[in-house]
Amino acid sequence: MNSNRHVVIIGNGIAGVTCARQLRKLDEKVRITLVSGESKYFFSRTALMYVFMGHMKFEHTQPYENWFWDKNRIELKEGWVKSIDFAAKNLLFQSGEDMSYDELVLATGSKPNKFGWAGEDLQGVQGLYSKQDLELMEKNTQEGVKRAVIVGGGLIGIEMAEMLAYKKIPVTILVREKGFWGNILPKEESGLVGRHIREHHIDLRLNEELEEIISDPNARVKAVKTKSGEEIQCQFVGLTAGVTPNIDFLRKTELEVNRGVKVDFGFRTNIKDVYSIGDCAEFHEAPASDRKHVEQVWYTGRMQGETLGHILAGHNVTYQPGVWFNSAKFLDIEYQTYGHVPARWDTGQVKSFYWEHPVGKVAFRMLMDLNGRILGVNNFGFRLRHEFFDQAIREGWDGDRVISKLDKANFDPEFFAPYYIAIQQAFKNQFGGDFTISKKTFIQKLFGASV
């Protein structure tokens, strides 16, 4: 492979940056350029909320020092790409500049969904994804905001609600499902999160949808109208009903696109020497039976970037995503999920075990097939080890084995009560099992925990 070639990566999020770093590790000669109009330097997108709340400065969200890129000979080009001439292998920037490439990686990420609501483009109405969105939110909430309305639940919605609440701005969340994140979480977990949100004085409206956003005489939002007919006065509206691949400038070209840029498991598009990874990529076929065609999660972006880095360095590999994993926070409740735990399942095909602590903020669910083999886990309010469940699901452990070894999965036992003991007892009460619940008295004395 010609190492004097020029690889251009559009997008400096986790997928694009990981690809650049991996390729540089494997090839010392290839020229690499990272292109981004959003920011010159890579930053942690999940930390934007802490910048808004004043806990961090924006530069603190950048995990690499500015000299890192020169040292690793990764060129940074700040600018928005207007169009691509795939035949000539050339990028045209909005500034009028252009750039040639030998191989191109499209890692342009996502943008907040809009569904054609009346008033969705008014001042004071926005999503939250990019650095520019953060800057706009800071401007839109500086003064005169007596109430905010967030349209849509999920992870971005709860982050935005926490940001607004921190600044003492009352918040109403409109969620069309009958439970918070009800298309992802089972009923019990959704109920736990919903209760927690309301306990933080956030006005959570379930089974409610946006009808229109109403303007004042200055083309700024003054209220929203719901489909039930209620009018809620507000001066800020957050649109957090999911995200979609950021590929509008790639449509109406010879590149094959659908929701995202269509790729195979080597991230190849229908155009030679053009690849796509991260939030904007869409697989022709889902990577696994429990995976989606578009994977918009931080850790899958990192895995895709690593894999493509190997491919661009000449290695014969394909994307092997492994066991599904995600983590997040609902206000101060930590959430982890491993494997396949859908919002609903056929009780004739799946066995479910669910335990919830009496305080209502800690919970554990495990799904098993009819033979008792683990399918997936949801965990709320305390941490469990990723590698433990990755191995258990990959190797198809019986539920008994998983529960009997749950103490091995306990993360930071100094800071987390031994909930696994109560989980073990509840599992044994429901399903039986020949394992013993050991060390209970010792651990209770050690931690002073009531389980």
Side-chain angles (χ1 to χ4, degrees):
M1 182 172 288
N2 177 15
S3 286
N4 295 317
R5 70 199 197 281
H6 185 199
V7 175
V8 174
I9 303 170
I10 304 178
N12 69 347
I14 186 62
V17 165
T18 302
C19 180
R21 292 186 62 235
Q22 188 65 54
L23 178 57
R24 173 57 73 224
K25 288 178 184 178
L26 300 171
D27 190 326
E28 296 182 353
K29 295 182 179 179
V30 62
R31 180 185 173 195
I32 304 171
T33 301
L34 272 171
V35 176
S36 173
E38 181 182 13
S39 63
K40 182 176 181 179
Y41 299 109
F42 168 59
F43 66 93
S44 173
R45 199 170 299 281
T46 56
L48 288 178
M49 64 181 295
Y50 301 110
V51 176
F52 182 87
M53 294 189 291
H55 300 327
M56 304 173 70
K57 293 183 178 180
F58 181 75
E59 54 265 32
H60 298 156
T61 70
Q62 298 168 187
Y64 304 110
E65 298 289 348
N66 293 350
W67 51 258
F68 171 88
W69 309 101
D70 286 337
K71 179 181 178 181
N72 288 277
R73 290 176 293 109
I74 297 174
E75 300 172 30
L76 304 179
K77 168 63 178 174
E78 217 174 342
W80 299 102
V81 176
K82 180 180 180 181
S83 61
I84 303 173
D85 185 336
F86 291 107
K89 292 190 170 183
N90 193 64
L91 310 179
L92 177 64
F93 291 88
Q94 289 182 3
S95 64
E97 300 172 280
D98 67 349
M99 178 183 291
S100 62
Y101 65 85
D102 295 300
E103 289 165 290
L104 178 66
V105 179
L106 302 168
T108 54
S110 294
K111 62 177 183 176
N113 279 332
K114 290 186 176 181
F115 294 102
W117 291 298
E120 65 182 18
D121 294 319
L122 292 172
Q123 293 180 48
V125 180
Q126 65 166 100
L128 180 62
Y129 180 84
S130 68
K131 178 177 181 285
Q132 286 72 30
D133 290 335
L134 172 69
E135 293 166 350
L136 181 61
M137 188 171 172
E138 289 173 333
K139 178 182 177 181
N140 281 334
T141 58
Q142 278 182 350
E143 57 184 28
V145 178
K146 297 179 180 179
R147 174 162 291 276
V149 172
I150 295 174
V151 181
L155 303 180
I156 298 177
I158 196 62
E159 281 187 0
M160 185 178 273
E162 185 173 359
M163 292 160 71
L164 293 163
Y166 182 83
K167 292 201 171 182
K168 310 299 184 185
I169 297 173
V171 180
T172 295
I173 304 179
L174 305 181
V175 176
R176 67 179 181 177
E177 292 89 9
K178 59 183 179 181
F180 189 87
W181 217 21
N183 59 333
I184 301 293
L185 295 178
K187 180 178 66 175
E188 290 82 2
E189 289 95 311
S190 176
L192 181 153
V193 173
R195 292 192 303 272
H196 190 64
I197 290 171
R198 287 181 168 130
E199 287 172 8
H200 281 74
H201 309 292
I202 294 170
D203 178 27
L204 176 61
R205 308 283 188 92
L206 303 176
N207 293 306
E208 188 62 276
E209 294 186 62
L210 176 67
E211 177 68 27
E212 65 173 312
I213 305 170
I214 302 170
S215 175
D216 71 6
N218 300 313
R220 184 176 180 87
V221 57
K222 73 170 186 179
V224 301
K225 184 178 180 181
T226 69
K227 288 200 171 180
S228 66
E230 182 180 3
E231 192 169 300
I232 303 173
Q233 300 295 310
C234 61
Q235 297 74 41
F236 178 89
V237 175
L239 302 180
T240 65
V243 294
T244 193
N246 183 25
I247 61 166
D248 287 350
F249 76 108
L250 299 170
R251 298 189 184 278
K252 298 182 180 180
T253 70
E254 59 267 48
L255 186 71
E256 185 182 359
V257 300
N258 182 36
R259 185 180 169 210
V261 178
K262 301 289 284 187
V263 296
D264 62 16
F265 294 139
F267 306 104
R268 299 172 186 85
T269 70
N270 65 308
I271 299 176
K272 188 177 184 297
D273 297 327
V274 179
Y275 304 81
S276 185
I277 53 175
D279 284 16
C280 68
E282 179 180 352
F283 294 105
H284 290 287
E285 300 177 13
S289 61
D290 61 342
R291 305 297 280 260
K292 297 180 179 179
H293 292 260
V294 180
E295 297 187 324
Q296 295 169 314
V297 175
W298 182 91
Y299 95 93
T300 56
R302 178 177 55 79
M303 289 178 64
Q304 291 179 21
E306 286 180 353
T307 304
L308 183 55
H310 281 274
I311 291 170
L312 292 173
H315 297 184
N316 185 23
V317 296
T318 58
Y319 182 49
Q320 303 290 334
V323 174
W324 175 257
F325 164 70
N326 198 10
S327 65
K329 285 184 70 176
F330 295 100
L331 301 170
D332 53 346
I333 292 182
E334 296 194 37
Y335 159 69
Q336 298 167 289
T337 186
Y338 306 93
H340 187 47
V341 185
R344 287 164 289 278
W345 54 82
D346 183 349
T347 56
Q349 300 295 320
V350 174
K351 295 194 291 187
S352 172
F353 166 70
Y354 180 75
W355 170 86
E356 186 175 302
H357 192 280
V359 299
K361 300 180 186 299
V362 180
F364 176 89
R365 181 184 299 277
M366 182 170 64
L367 291 189
M368 299 162 282
D369 65 19
L370 295 183
N371 293 317
R373 291 189 295 264
I374 183 174
L375 299 172
V377 161
N378 279 346
N379 191 59
F380 287 81
F382 67 115
R383 294 183 188 177
L384 294 172
R385 295 186 181 277
H386 182 181
E387 59 270 22
F388 177 91
F389 287 102
D390 185 79
Q391 179 183 5
I393 294 170
R394 279 189 293 105
E395 296 179 359
W397 290 11
D398 287 341
D400 283 16
R401 183 181 179 190
V402 174
I403 296 296
S404 69
K405 295 179 177 292
L406 208 53
D407 61 312
K408 302 294 191 300
N410 200 23
F411 188 90
D412 282 345
E414 304 87 16
F415 301 103
F416 292 89
Y419 298 116
Y420 70 87
I421 298 173
I423 294 170
Q424 288 176 329
Q425 186 62 63
F427 184 89
K428 200 163 189 178
N429 291 343
Q430 182 175 343
F431 293 103
D434 58 5
F435 61 90
T436 58
I437 301 172
S438 59
K439 302 183 181 178
K440 180 174 181 179
T441 303
F442 170 76
I443 294 177
Q444 284 180 324
K445 287 182 179 178
L446 179 65
F447 291 101
S450 175
V451 298

